[in-house]
Amino acid sequence: MPPPRPLPSTPLLVGLLAIATWFVVRPFVDPFPPLPTLYTSVGFSLYALLATLYVIPAVGPAFIRANLKGVDLLKLDKSPVPESQGLVCASIYILLLILFIPFAFSNAFSSTMSAKGPEGLSVIEFPHYQLSVYLSSLLSLLIATVLGFLDDVFDIRWRHKIPIPIIASIPLLMVYYAEKGNTNVVVPLPLRFLFGTLVNLGPLYYIYMSLLSTFATNSFNILAGINGSEVSQAVIIALSVILNDLLYLPWPLDFRIPLHLLGSHTEVEVGGVWSAGMAYGSRELVERHLFSLYFMLPLLAVCLGFMYHNWYPARAFPGDTLCYVTGMAFAVVGIQAHFSKTLLLFFLPQIFNFVLSCPQLFGLVPCPRHRVPRIDHDTNLLHPSQAYFEKSPSPLTTMVLRILAALGLAKLTPHPTTGTIASTTNLTILNFFLVRLGPMSEKRLVQTLMGAQVAGSVLAFVVRYGLAGLVYDGNRR
Amino acid sequence: MPPPRPLPSTPLLVGLLAIATWFVVRPFVDPFPPLPTLYTSVGFSLYALLATLYVIPAVGPAFIRANLKGVDLLKLDKSPVPESQGLVCASIYILLLILFIPFAFSNAFSSTMSAKGPEGLSVIEFPHYQLSVYLSSLLSLLIATVLGFLDDVFDIRWRHKIPIPIIASIPLLMVYYAEKGNTNVVVPLPLRFLFGTLVNLGPLYYIYMSLLSTFATNSFNILAGINGSEVSQAVIIALSVILNDLLYLPWPLDFRIPLHLLGSHTEVEVGGVWSAGMAYGSRELVERHLFSLYFMLPLLAVCLGFMYHNWYPARAFPGDTLCYVTGMAFAVVGIQAHFSKTLLLFFLPQIFNFVLSCPQLFGLVPCPRHRVPRIDHDTNLLHPSQAYFEKSPSPLTTMVLRILAALGLAKLTPHPTTGTIASTTNLTILNFFLVRLGPMSEKRLVQTLMGAQVAGSVLAFVVRYGLAGLVYDGNRR
């Protein structure tokens, strides 16, 4: 195996360790901060980052010995790289979330509680009854980890593994049902004359929840193949969710985002100790977004730690395990904190990739085992990979591909004699970038992907806070 | 691989399926039964049995392909047998426990609830607040499964893996802490003049809980090596726990066990609709033992299903996964249903085996990689295996071994010239049986082990209900 990437400099690591410890200790020191549990969460997340940075290379040889290894398809060096190391991220992540339980759900900060201030929200920061919701989320994450790892070990075929995340969502559904979870959704303004303000989806809501898990998981899984592609998506989506959550917290200051510049007729107000800005004074909304933060902060941390080793040239591969656990984590917060529509907006590049992939996923176009771009080892640049037609394609396939080509989403090669389509570039977002922007290096391609993801998130925020006012009123339950 | 064992006859399987479905449907049919959730649990357990019977051989080839295979040390046939198939048992077990949540914790039986009868206990059969306790138990079981499977995949050395079950017990401890679990224990009568009736163990109680998980898991792990040994222990202990739980349920009839014949001065009364016999009218005790039954019934089922394929000559191996998940399941019910002392009584053969193993575990006596008995392929009989001393043993080792030999627990071979101990039989209960009872076949040896386990459980019941009255009064909280 190639030598593992050396760790960052020791002073940096020691500094991080000190900062992490400060965050964990701070809630116990007078004057007690508001939202003490959030301090703990940040501290734990920094510990998770350090642990991931350290453990990933440390267990690499054991993974290789256990036959959990892969060859980098896009490198000349064919020595094996440890595979499925998303397992390390998932283990650290879940273990920390478990150790976090007493801080979130007991009276660990009871000394703090007596110190009521204007930030009084901290006192009832997190209700104990939510413990079972938290635990069911952990169960789903753990099942996703197990299934992802089994997928890596048993190498399940992709057509069979698409429904697997539904199994991981069962604990969420069961506890949601047992706790008589709300299955109402708010109807967009233009449809209210038909359905009223709230519509009870009933069993459909459960189907929606399990489909959300399936989508979040598989959308990462099919956007894979180059160094850092899986984990960088997770990092940017986690950052977006965290940013969105922060808008709902009781900040000491209160500011406005001038969204009227974007044509919205609602003004967005953020922060404000008691009214908690975007939470419109709703304690429930603050609690939900705290719940989301408690899951997203450590997820971001383990993903960043893993990205350090997975960055080009990768010294560790994520395996399906990482896709499963990160996808499930996003589904969990979207469902439990009730912002699944906003969450889906952060998945715009994944949705684009999924829609683009459909002709190959559903058999219209041949789908080779790997659809990763092809490398030209002389220039070290990636080129779009091709799917070849053994016989001339059906009229439907031809039409679909011609439309995609006209939109600039694929590049077709005609058959030299018959003129029918002989091959097409594989229908993924990565090949699309290469078709549009020309050949580029692997590192550049993953940076382009990350750029698209960031652009998608910016667009998502504009849609959510700028345009949503057009179809929803202020009642954002 | 050797061909899998054929399934039992189809009429039997179809019959079982019909009975299982009857149990699941019965609670919804008028007249509604008391304890409807228990019917569901029995039905689900029968499904689990059928699923295990069917899935174990079905996935065998996939396990072999994924390099999860082992060679039977005690057979001439060296073709690989699927290993770690405890994973199948654990998956079915945990999945069913998750699907069971709505039945145990929602108002699924609300129609039943209106039908209050003298069996009124069913109405408040299971309080919703226990959901988080149930979920933390599932988390612990799932972590035990993951760790067991990782142990199988990475082949962790035994000295390193002894503390692993502590990790699996963390969710139990965290939720116990968050829920402000009771850390008091009842003091035995002879010590009350020192400590009073109740003593608060505080943090020690948490250490006790994690040690219990560690003990239950590892005691199975070190009593392994012959076909059926791990799973048969689990079956008999599960049966014993179930029998003990049944004593606390509100049975329609009310009978007495004449324990005064054994010299006890308390009479044991079982059953009785309202007072629920051994529960002394305590709803809490009934609930605890129902909780235990909900975990033990499906455990027994998957173990029986697995035993069918693991029985001599084994067509499937359990791997460490089975030991981890069964050990953890017993620890979970012992802790959550508060009968850990009674539970430990059911582990008498394991405790004997552990104490006997100590000289080898702690390095007094050499410990070979495998301590399973040695087979003589001519007679097909097992003989005790030996641990050899490379240099003459220390005086302490010599003394310990001489005592064990005098007690008939080991057989020593003197050095032909110096007269010091040259070798000893390995210090396990299996070798002990062979030393005492002479060579026997593998099947006979596992039957002997099962006999010892049954005898241990009978003794446990006598101690618990006959002798406990001497050191505890009726207050059995």
Side-chain angles (χ1 to χ4, degrees):
Chain A
M1 61 182 278
R5 182 152 300 153
L7 292 182
S9 69
T10 313
L12 182 70
L13 295 180
V14 172
L16 267 179
L17 192 66
I19 296 172
T21 307
W22 182 84
F23 271 103
V24 171
V25 172
R26 178 70 189 83
F28 298 99
V29 178
D30 205 2
F32 306 116
L35 306 178
T37 313
L38 192 55
Y39 279 73
T40 315
S41 181
V42 172
F44 272 36
S45 300
L46 291 173
Y47 285 140
L49 170 64
L50 289 167
T52 316
L53 275 175
Y54 178 78
V55 176
I56 292 275
V59 298
F63 274 65
I64 300 249
R65 272 198 305 279
N67 208 28
L68 293 165
K69 57 191 178 189
V71 166
D72 199 325
L73 293 172
L74 300 178
K75 305 287 185 301
L76 277 173
D77 181 2
K78 295 299 178 202
S79 53
V81 175
E83 175 66 279
S84 313
Q85 288 211 302
L87 180 66
V88 176
C89 303
S91 306
I92 293 173
Y93 178 51
I94 293 171
L95 190 61
L96 272 171
L97 284 176
I98 293 173
L99 291 172
F100 184 65
I101 292 173
F103 295 91
F105 298 98
S106 77
N107 296 331
F109 302 119
S110 52
S111 57
T112 321
M113 293 213 168
S114 54
K116 275 194 206 176
E119 295 84 356
L121 266 170
S122 68
V123 176
I124 32 78
E125 190 181 351
F126 219 71
H128 289 205
Y129 71 85
Q130 287 210 2
L131 179 55
S132 50
V133 172
Y134 187 90
L135 291 172
S136 71
S137 307
L138 284 183
L139 265 177
S140 282
L141 287 173
L142 196 47
I143 294 178
T145 307
V146 173
L147 294 173
F149 190 64
L150 291 182
D151 187 355
D152 283 333
V153 169
F154 291 105
D155 202 13
I156 303 167
R157 288 172 58 188
W158 73 262
R159 272 176 212 275
H160 297 152
K161 72 192 186 193
I162 286 182
I164 287 181
I166 293 178
I167 300 174
S169 69
I170 293 177
L172 293 183
L173 307 185
M174 293 294 125
V175 171
Y176 204 84
Y177 180 82
E179 301 246 302
K180 293 206 193 104
N182 179 4
T183 54
N184 292 318
V185 289
V186 180
V187 178
L189 292 173
L191 297 176
R192 287 200 185 160
F193 73 97
L194 268 179
F195 301 107
T197 310
L198 281 176
V199 65
N200 187 356
L201 290 184
L204 285 180
Y205 194 83
Y206 291 87
I207 294 175
Y208 171 70
M209 287 200 281
S210 52
L211 288 184
L212 187 69
S213 332
T214 312
F215 168 75
T217 302
N218 285 304
S219 65
F220 283 159
N221 230 341
I222 62 171
L223 212 172
I226 64 171
N227 292 173
S229 59
E230 298 94 335
V231 72
S232 62
Q233 302 169 66
V235 163
I236 294 167
I237 296 178
L239 274 173
S240 309
V241 174
I242 289 171
L243 190 59
N244 184 53
D245 290 332
L246 291 179
L247 298 179
Y248 293 82
L249 294 197
W251 292 107
L253 38 105
D254 181 352
F255 54 94
R256 282 158 189 274
I257 303 175
L259 269 182
H260 58 273
L261 299 180
L262 289 163
S264 168
H265 53 78
T266 55
E267 195 74 9
V268 170
E269 193 181 337
V270 173
V273 170
W274 267 107
S275 61
M278 294 293 298
Y280 304 108
S282 157
R283 206 171 79 201
E284 202 180 345
L285 271 179
V286 174
E287 281 167 3
R288 283 178 186 170
H289 286 279
L290 278 171
F291 181 94
S292 170
L293 280 173
Y294 298 159
F295 279 86
M296 286 294 113
L297 289 171
L299 184 77
L300 176 65
V302 295
C303 284
L304 283 175
F306 181 71
M307 198 170 165
Y308 181 83
H309 298 286
N310 184 230
W311 191 251
Y312 179 92
R315 294 297 177 240
F317 288 151
D320 290 330
T321 317
L322 189 85
C323 300
Y324 276 75
V325 77
T326 51
M328 199 66 213
F330 292 124
V332 158
V333 298
I335 292 168
Q336 307 278 36
H338 296 263
F339 58 84
S340 54
K341 291 195 296 292
T342 308
L343 180 75
L344 281 176
L345 285 176
F346 296 135
F347 276 78
L348 289 177
Q350 284 71 28
I351 294 171
F352 174 82
N353 186 55
F354 174 71
V355 173
L356 184 59
S357 295
C358 280
Q360 287 194 298
L361 296 182
F362 296 113
L364 273 184
V365 174
C367 188
R369 176 104 176 76
H370 292 287
R371 302 191 296 162
V372 284
R374 175 179 64 77
I375 185 142
D376 178 349
H377 283 300
D378 294 333
T379 59
N380 212 19
L381 295 181
L382 298 183
H383 296 258
S385 60
Q386 306 280 326
Y388 296 93
F389 288 94
E390 293 186 1
K391 47 188 181 184
S392 59
S394 71
L396 177 63
T397 303
T398 306
M399 191 186 74
V400 168
L401 284 179
R402 295 242 184 261
I403 293 173
L404 290 177
L407 294 170
L409 300 169
K411 207 168 175 177
L412 311 179
T413 313
H415 196 279
T417 54
T418 62
T420 60
I421 301 171
S423 74
T424 170
T425 54
N426 277 310
L427 302 171
T428 70
I429 195 171
L430 295 178
N431 287 304
F432 161 71
F433 289 141
L434 295 171
V435 166
R436 298 309 305 160
L437 307 172
M440 59 180 99
S441 69
E442 187 175 354
K443 191 171 166 181
R444 186 72 195 283
L445 183 58
V446 76
Q447 285 167 340
T448 307
L449 177 66
M450 289 170 73
Q453 189 84 47
V454 170
S457 285
V458 170
L459 180 62
F461 275 102
V462 170
V463 170
R464 172 67 182 82
Y465 295 103
L467 306 181
L470 303 178
V471 287
Y472 287 103
D473 53 18
N475 180 10
R476 294 219 178 84
R477 290 304 172 83
Chain B
M1 62 182 279
R5 182 153 300 151
L7 292 181
S9 69
T10 312
L12 182 69
L13 295 180
V14 172
L16 266 179
L17 192 66
I19 295 173
T21 307
W22 182 84
F23 270 102
V24 171
V25 172
R26 179 66 189 83
F28 298 99
V29 178
D30 204 3
F32 306 114
L35 306 179
T37 313
L38 192 56
Y39 280 72
T40 316
S41 181
V42 172
F44 272 35
S45 300
L46 290 174
Y47 285 140
L49 170 64
L50 288 167
T52 316
L53 274 175
Y54 178 78
V55 176
I56 292 277
V59 298
F63 274 65
I64 300 250
R65 272 198 305 278
N67 209 28
L68 294 165
K69 56 191 179 188
V71 166
D72 200 324
L73 293 171
L74 300 177
K75 306 286 185 301
L76 277 173
D77 181 2
K78 294 299 178 202
S79 55
V81 175
E83 174 67 277
S84 313
Q85 288 210 300
L87 181 66
V88 177
C89 304
S91 306
I92 293 173
Y93 178 50
I94 293 171
L95 190 61
L96 272 172
L97 284 177
I98 292 173
L99 291 172
F100 184 65
I101 292 173
F103 296 91
F105 298 99
S106 77
N107 297 330
F109 303 119
S110 52
S111 57
T112 322
M113 292 212 168
S114 55
K116 275 194 207 176
E119 295 85 355
L121 267 170
S122 68
V123 176
I124 32 76
E125 190 180 350
F126 220 69
H128 290 204
Y129 71 84
Q130 287 210 2
L131 178 55
S132 49
V133 171
Y134 187 90
L135 292 172
S136 71
S137 307
L138 284 183
L139 265 177
S140 282
L141 286 174
L142 196 47
I143 294 179
T145 306
V146 173
L147 294 173
F149 189 63
L150 291 182
D151 187 356
D152 283 333
V153 170
F154 291 104
D155 202 13
I156 303 168
R157 288 172 58 191
W158 73 263
R159 272 176 211 274
H160 297 153
K161 72 193 187 193
I162 286 182
I164 286 180
I166 293 178
I167 300 174
S169 69
I170 292 177
L172 293 183
L173 308 186
M174 294 293 124
V175 171
Y176 203 84
Y177 180 81
E179 301 246 302
K180 293 206 193 111
N182 179 5
T183 54
N184 293 317
V185 290
V186 180
V187 178
L189 291 174
L191 297 176
R192 286 199 186 160
F193 73 98
L194 269 178
F195 302 107
T197 309
L198 282 177
V199 64
N200 187 355
L201 289 184
L204 285 180
Y205 194 84
Y206 291 87
I207 294 175
Y208 171 70
M209 287 199 282
S210 52
L211 288 184
L212 187 69
S213 332
T214 313
F215 168 75
T217 303
N218 285 304
S219 65
F220 283 159
N221 231 340
I222 61 171
L223 211 172
I226 64 170
N227 293 171
S229 59
E230 298 94 337
V231 72
S232 62
Q233 302 169 66
V235 162
I236 294 167
I237 296 177
L239 274 173
S240 309
V241 174
I242 289 170
L243 190 60
N244 183 54
D245 290 331
L246 291 178
L247 297 179
Y248 292 82
L249 294 196
W251 292 106
L253 38 104
D254 181 351
F255 53 93
R256 282 158 187 273
I257 304 175
L259 269 182
H260 59 272
L261 299 180
L262 290 163
S264 167
H265 53 78
T266 55
E267 196 75 6
V268 171
E269 194 180 336
V270 173
V273 171
W274 266 107
S275 61
M278 294 294 298
Y280 304 109
S282 156
R283 207 171 78 201
E284 201 180 345
L285 271 178
V286 174
E287 281 167 2
R288 284 177 185 172
H289 286 280
L290 278 171
F291 181 94
S292 170
L293 279 173
Y294 298 159
F295 279 86
M296 286 295 113
L297 289 171
L299 184 76
L300 176 65
V302 295
C303 284
L304 283 175
F306 181 71
M307 197 168 165
Y308 181 83
H309 299 285
N310 183 231
W311 191 250
Y312 179 91
R315 295 295 178 242
F317 288 151
D320 290 331
T321 317
L322 188 85
C323 300
Y324 276 77
V325 77
T326 50
M328 199 66 212
F330 292 125
V332 159
V333 297
I335 292 168
Q336 307 279 37
H338 296 262
F339 57 83
S340 54
K341 291 194 296 293
T342 308
L343 180 74
L344 281 176
L345 284 175
F346 295 135
F347 276 78
L348 290 178
Q350 283 71 26
I351 294 172
F352 174 82
N353 185 56
F354 174 71
V355 173
L356 184 59
S357 295
C358 280
Q360 287 194 299
L361 296 182
F362 295 113
L364 272 184
V365 173
C367 187
R369 176 103 175 80
H370 292 287
R371 302 192 297 163
V372 284
R374 175 178 64 76
I375 186 144
D376 178 350
H377 283 299
D378 295 332
T379 59
N380 212 18
L381 294 181
L382 299 181
H383 296 259
S385 60
Q386 305 280 324
Y388 295 94
F389 289 93
E390 293 186 1
K391 47 189 183 183
S392 58
S394 71
L396 176 63
T397 303
T398 307
M399 191 186 74
V400 168
L401 285 178
R402 295 242 183 260
I403 292 173
L404 291 177
L407 293 170
L409 301 170
K411 207 168 177 176
L412 311 179
T413 314
H415 195 279
T417 54
T418 63
T420 59
I421 301 170
S423 74
T424 171
T425 55
N426 277 309
L427 302 170
T428 69
I429 195 171
L430 296 177
N431 287 304
F432 161 71
F433 288 142
L434 295 172
V435 166
R436 297 311 303 160
L437 306 171
M440 58 179 100
S441 69
E442 187 175 356
K443 190 170 167 181
R444 186 69 196 283
L445 183 57
V446 76
Q447 286 167 339
T448 308
L449 176 65
M450 290 172 73
Q453 189 85 47
V454 170
S457 286
V458 170
L459 181 62
F461 276 102
V462 170
V463 170
R464 171 68 184 81
Y465 296 102
L467 306 181
L470 301 178
V471 287
Y472 287 102
D473 53 19
N475 181 10
R476 294 219 177 83
R477 291 301 171 82

